[in-house]
Amino acid sequence: MTLRIDISGLPSERVRFAASPLAELTAMLHVLAEPGHDPQFADWARDIWAGLRPELAERLREAEFLWRSSQADFLVPARPRPTLAEELNDVDRIGDETYVTAALVSTCGSNRVHLAAQSPLTDATAREWALDLAQARGPLQEAFAERLLADPAAVRARVRHTLEQCAEAFFDAAWAGVAVQLATDLRLKNDLLKRQGIGAALASVSEAVTLAPDGERIIVDKLQDKSTAAHGTGVTFIPSVFGRPHLVAVHAPGWQPVVQYPVAEPDPSEPVSLETITLRLEALAHPVRLRLLRTLARGPHTTGELAHAWELSPPEASRHLAVLRRAGLLTARRQGRYVRYTLNMPDLTALGADLLAAVLR
């Protein structure tokens, strides 16, 4: 299944590669809403949540449907601007019906064809249909959809204010950290586009993005079977650091096609040392520690819970946990009086590959 973007007759200058502050902020908000999707940013997400003011944290949760499972189309701009404020101004210029429909698609998980047929702002049947879909998703979605349909101007203003608060709380600092990486990627893409053409530029975006043999369509390998056209308006490609590993595509009728793609890692990951691998293998060699890991694979546990589960004394459980933690196989997080241990799934999963790499190098 693919998304097909018709670019027949499109001038080369209307294939754009540009960075978008708003799209990158949206990618960050997706990480905060679904840290499990992006384990490489889990520590970052945890630190951000820990430092957020309660009011902003609550605002992010009430509007998270705009970026959690999918991104609302207006959050991935077709004409990126240098600043977040400029892009938010562009969003303000979108009509209420277009904004509300895009917001409901991401909130309700609805079929945008049905929403496009009649506006839920003016048609009672479309409104009830949208609210039924939101209710089926959960009470938070229903409450957000009700507020959006009752007073779209108020919700739009609140969403913008929330995004502006995010800029002050964490985005401005994070954007400064990724700007150089995005600029480097854009120089490469635009140079390929200029010197070798769109096919070479697309090949550098992702293996999932190709130019059709006839040169008239961009093929995006997505779990959907859709088509759109870039005639007149063009197509925009937006690099993202926090968007890894997702490939986001805007393709709804009435919207200019946009593809947000993950930039390549700036450098290959550092190889894990043989000393660390040996430490991990030795930690896993003890049957008690394997039992503890089996329990931790089901979720975080305290020392006392693990000791009780396996009939160990608390000091004995603590000693085994210390070995596993020194080997980097566990993480610990204090919650009040207790410390909860969590399995370091990425490093444990990679142990076999790390061992093979160490043997071969």
Side-chain angles (χ1 to χ4, degrees):
M1 301 181 73
T2 59
L3 167 64
R4 300 170 298 282
I5 305 173
D6 186 349
I7 59 169
S8 56
L10 189 72
S12 60
E13 63 269 17
R14 292 192 179 174
V15 176
R16 305 180 187 91
F17 285 85
S20 164
L22 179 56
E24 193 68 7
L25 171 55
T26 303
M28 293 178 193
L29 292 173
H30 172 75
V31 170
L32 292 176
E34 288 284 6
H37 288 188
D38 312 273
Q40 69 270 38
F41 298 119
D43 291 341
W44 176 86
R46 183 171 57 249
D47 291 343
I48 295 300
W49 277 119
L52 286 182
R53 291 183 292 104
E55 178 195 1
L56 179 53
E58 180 59 30
R59 279 172 170 258
L60 291 181
R61 293 188 181 97
E62 75 178 24
E64 68 177 9
F65 320 112
L66 298 179
W67 50 73
R68 181 168 196 147
S69 298
S70 62
Q71 288 78 10
D73 289 340
F74 54 77
L75 294 177
V76 189
R79 295 185 179 275
R81 308 291 187 182
T83 68
L84 178 63
E86 290 174 283
E87 292 187 324
L88 291 176
N89 289 339
D90 286 345
V91 173
D92 287 344
R93 297 185 186 101
I94 297 171
D96 278 349
E97 288 192 6
T98 301
Y99 184 103
V100 168
T101 297
L104 288 175
V105 166
S106 60
T107 301
C108 305
S110 58
N111 185 323
R112 63 176 76 241
V113 173
H114 288 108
L115 279 175
Q118 297 291 337
S119 168
L121 290 177
T122 57
D123 184 84
T125 300
R127 176 188 176 88
E128 289 305 311
W129 184 79
L131 290 175
D132 286 346
L133 284 174
Q135 183 183 48
R137 295 290 295 274
L140 295 178
Q141 289 92 330
E142 181 183 17
F144 182 80
E146 285 180 343
R147 291 195 302 271
L148 180 66
L149 291 171
D151 193 348
V155 171
R156 293 180 66 161
R158 186 172 177 85
V159 169
R160 171 166 183 154
H161 188 217
T162 298
L163 297 176
E164 290 171 336
Q165 287 182 311
C166 289
E168 180 180 347
F170 61 86
F171 173 72
D172 287 347
W175 177 252
V178 303
V180 173
Q181 192 173 344
L182 295 177
T184 300
D185 180 83
L186 288 172
R187 280 194 297 271
L188 170 65
K189 300 295 188 293
N190 284 305
D191 185 66
L192 285 171
L193 184 62
K194 178 181 178 180
R195 297 178 182 277
Q196 301 182 38
I198 186 173
L202 294 179
S204 71
V205 167
S206 167
E207 292 183 357
V209 182
T210 58
L211 185 65
D214 59 12
E216 295 190 346
R217 287 163 297 141
I218 296 172
I219 309 299
V220 184
D221 187 14
K222 297 279 286 181
L223 290 177
Q224 53 194 317
D225 191 16
K226 303 286 185 180
S227 61
T228 186
H231 298 155
T233 56
V235 58
T236 302
F237 290 86
I238 299 174
S240 175
V241 171
F242 279 81
R244 297 188 191 114
H246 305 296
L247 192 67
V248 176
V250 174
H251 56 81
W255 294 88
Q256 179 178 324
V258 184
V259 176
Q260 184 186 32
Y261 63 90
V263 301
E265 295 283 357
D267 295 301
S269 58
E270 289 294 323
V272 178
S273 69
L274 184 58
E275 180 183 2
T276 298
I277 294 170
T278 301
L279 194 64
R280 290 174 179 173
L281 292 174
E282 290 174 349
L284 295 172
H286 199 291
V288 171
R289 292 195 279 273
L290 286 175
R291 295 189 192 112
L292 296 178
L293 289 179
R294 181 179 180 183
T295 301
L296 288 168
R298 300 169 185 161
H301 287 72
T302 65
T303 301
E305 290 170 338
L306 292 167
H308 177 74
W310 292 105
E311 298 181 353
L312 303 171
S313 68
E316 185 179 9
S318 292
R319 286 194 296 272
H320 286 298
L321 289 170
V323 173
L324 291 168
R325 193 176 178 190
R326 280 197 300 272
L329 298 175
L330 300 181
T331 58
R333 184 179 182 185
R334 179 170 292 279
Q335 293 182 334
R337 296 170 50 199
Y338 303 99
V339 174
R340 300 181 72 82
Y341 292 91
T342 303
L343 198 61
N344 183 350
M345 192 68 75
D347 284 356
L348 185 60
T349 302
L351 182 56
D354 291 340
L355 174 59
L356 180 60
V359 170
L360 294 175
R361 67 174 175 257

